[in-house]
């Protein structure tokens, strides 16, 4: 990984941990089945606890309400043997470690970010419920695009809220969501003006339309009835038109 990558985050030395998290911890503290264990064995080289943001390592207060208990935030790097099974690996790690995490997957020259809010499990105080998982695309560190450069620069924690750990973590997620939207509108400032909530809702709808279009295209290949093919083509065009409209909203 490029040496200057983490320098752009401006993380204080006091937050550095750099400890290996052994796979055994996940085997013993999560409900992993045989398939999950094989995924860890075949896909993960090493898991490293890079940084820990705590009240005694950085000047940020813990946050607690009826829903969340954010006493600290951690950045964990996952060194991969191949770039598959990312979503399952992130689900296991996020569910096993109770703190809000920024997972940084690393394969060859590429990195991918994952984050997810966590809330208290009312049925079991010892467990957390992981909310929506958010991922970036793979980012090649050897050849960053303009929008990727802007995203990495935006992860400078000096621009985050230091009010409490919930707001601090929200700022990280907001930047990931804006980066994901920049696939369709590369002006970060314009996206921020529109508001993260609105931008994310639009991007979510675009991605749902993409999934639906792919499903219809797959079905149409195997459909033998002409009238049904026509219906599916009409639906594809309708979804494509709606997708175009949503991208225009992001760009206006």
């Amino acid at each position: 990984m490029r040496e200057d990558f983490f320098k752009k985050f401006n993380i204080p030395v006091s937050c550095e941990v750099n400890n290996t998290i052994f796979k055994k911890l996940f085997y013993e503290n999560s409900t992993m089945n045989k398939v999950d264990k094989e995924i860890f064995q075949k896909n993960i080289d090493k898991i490293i606890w890079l940084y820990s943001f705590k009240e005694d390592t950085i000047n940020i207060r813990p946050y607690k309400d009826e829903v969340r208990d954010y006493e600290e935030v951690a950045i964990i790097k996952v060194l991969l043997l191949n770039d598959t099974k990312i979503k399952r690996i992130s689900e296991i790690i996020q569910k096993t470690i109770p703190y809000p995490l920024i997972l940084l997957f690393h394969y060859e020259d590429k990195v991918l970010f994952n984050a997810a809010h966590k809330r208290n499990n009312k049925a079991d105080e010892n467990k957390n419920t992981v909310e929506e998982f958010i991922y970036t695309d793979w980012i090649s560190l050897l050849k960053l695009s303009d929008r990727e450069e802007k995203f990495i620069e935006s992860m400078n924690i000096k621009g985050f809220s230091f009010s409490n750990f919930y707001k601090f973590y929200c700022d990280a997620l907001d930047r990931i969501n804006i980066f994901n939207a920049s696939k369709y509108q590369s002006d970060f400032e314009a996206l921020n003006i529109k508001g993260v909530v609105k931008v994310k809702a639009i991007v979510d709808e675009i991605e749902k339309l993409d999934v639906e279009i792919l499903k219809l295209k797959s079905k149409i290949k195997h459909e033998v009835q002409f009238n049904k093919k026509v219906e599916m083509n009409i639906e594809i065009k309708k979804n494509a038109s709606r997708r175009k409209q949503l991208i225009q909203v992001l760009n206006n």
Side-chain angles (χ1 to χ4, degrees):
M1 183 174 291
R2 277 171 35 174
E3 291 181 4
D4 62 341
F5 179 71
F6 286 111
K7 288 181 181 178
K8 293 186 177 180
F9 293 3
N10 262 315
I11 299 172
V13 175
S14 58
C15 299
E16 290 182 6
V17 179
N18 286 320
N19 285 340
T20 299
I21 305 174
F22 295 101
K23 297 176 188 178
K24 184 179 178 182
L25 178 136
F26 299 97
Y27 300 159
E28 294 178 347
N29 294 283
S30 66
T31 55
M32 296 176 71
N33 55 34
K34 185 178 178 182
V35 174
D36 288 335
K37 288 180 180 179
E38 286 180 357
I39 288 172
F40 263 55
Q41 290 163 3
K42 293 179 179 179
N43 293 274
I44 298 175
D45 178 25
K46 198 174 185 179
I47 304 172
I48 303 169
W49 196 301
L50 288 179
Y51 299 100
S52 183
F53 302 99
K54 297 189 288 188
E55 193 172 14
D56 60 354
T57 64
I58 194 168
N59 188 27
I60 302 176
R61 291 186 292 108
Y63 175 87
K64 187 173 184 176
D65 62 16
E66 294 179 356
V67 178
R68 308 184 199 282
D69 188 358
Y70 283 12
E71 292 187 358
E72 67 177 275
V73 174
I75 297 180
I76 292 174
K77 179 166 68 174
V78 184
L79 299 172
L80 298 170
L81 298 169
N82 57 69
D83 61 355
T84 61
K85 308 295 183 182
I86 302 299
K87 290 191 175 181
R88 185 55 189 150
I89 292 169
S90 65
E91 286 171 2
I92 293 167
I93 296 175
Q94 291 279 12
K95 288 177 180 178
T96 304
I97 298 175
Y99 313 120
L101 306 175
I102 297 172
L103 296 183
L104 191 61
F105 290 93
H106 180 212
Y107 177 68
E108 295 180 344
D109 68 315
K110 303 183 296 182
V111 293
L112 179 151
F113 290 75
N114 162 251
H117 272 300
K118 297 176 184 180
R119 53 188 167 82
N120 302 330
N121 188 321
K122 293 182 179 179
D124 189 341
E125 293 182 356
N126 296 316
K127 292 183 179 180
N128 284 307
T129 299
V130 182
E131 296 179 353
E132 181 185 11
F133 290 84
I134 300 171
Y135 303 88
T136 66
D137 291 331
W138 283 106
I139 300 169
S140 173
L141 296 176
L142 297 180
K143 192 177 181 181
L144 292 172
S145 66
D146 288 342
R147 74 183 191 90
E148 289 167 345
E149 285 274 13
K150 289 177 183 176
F151 168 62
I152 300 301
E153 289 169 4
S154 77
M155 293 299 284
N156 180 346
I157 68 165
K158 287 187 176 181
F160 288 21
S161 171
F162 274 46
S163 298
N164 58 59
F165 281 122
Y166 176 65
K167 289 185 177 179
F168 180 85
Y169 192 67
C170 282
D171 278 352
L173 265 71
D174 285 351
R175 284 154 173 76
I176 291 173
N177 282 320
I178 290 295
F179 173 63
N180 287 340
S182 71
K183 287 184 287 188
Y184 312 104
Q185 212 295 38
S186 60
D187 188 337
F188 274 59
E189 187 176 344
L191 290 169
N192 277 307
I193 290 170
K194 287 184 183 296
V196 177
V197 174
K198 180 179 179 180
V199 166
K200 185 179 182 305
I202 294 170
V203 172
D204 286 347
E205 189 173 348
I206 290 171
E207 291 177 349
K208 284 179 183 177
L209 288 168
D210 286 341
V211 171
E212 188 60 30
I213 288 168
L214 284 173
K215 282 182 181 178
L216 287 166
K217 285 182 176 179
S218 177
K219 284 182 179 179
I220 210 167
K221 288 178 183 178
H222 303 96
E223 182 56 60
V224 293
Q225 294 186 36
F226 179 75
N227 62 327
K228 287 187 176 181
K229 282 189 174 186
V230 171
E231 289 174 5
M232 284 188 276
N233 268 316
I234 292 171
E235 192 65 24
I236 288 170
K237 289 179 180 179
K238 180 181 173 182
N239 288 338
S241 177
R242 174 59 180 161
R243 184 183 187 278
K244 187 177 180 180
Q245 288 174 354
L246 290 168
I247 292 172
Q248 287 175 342
V249 171
L250 288 176
N251 282 274
N252 291 334

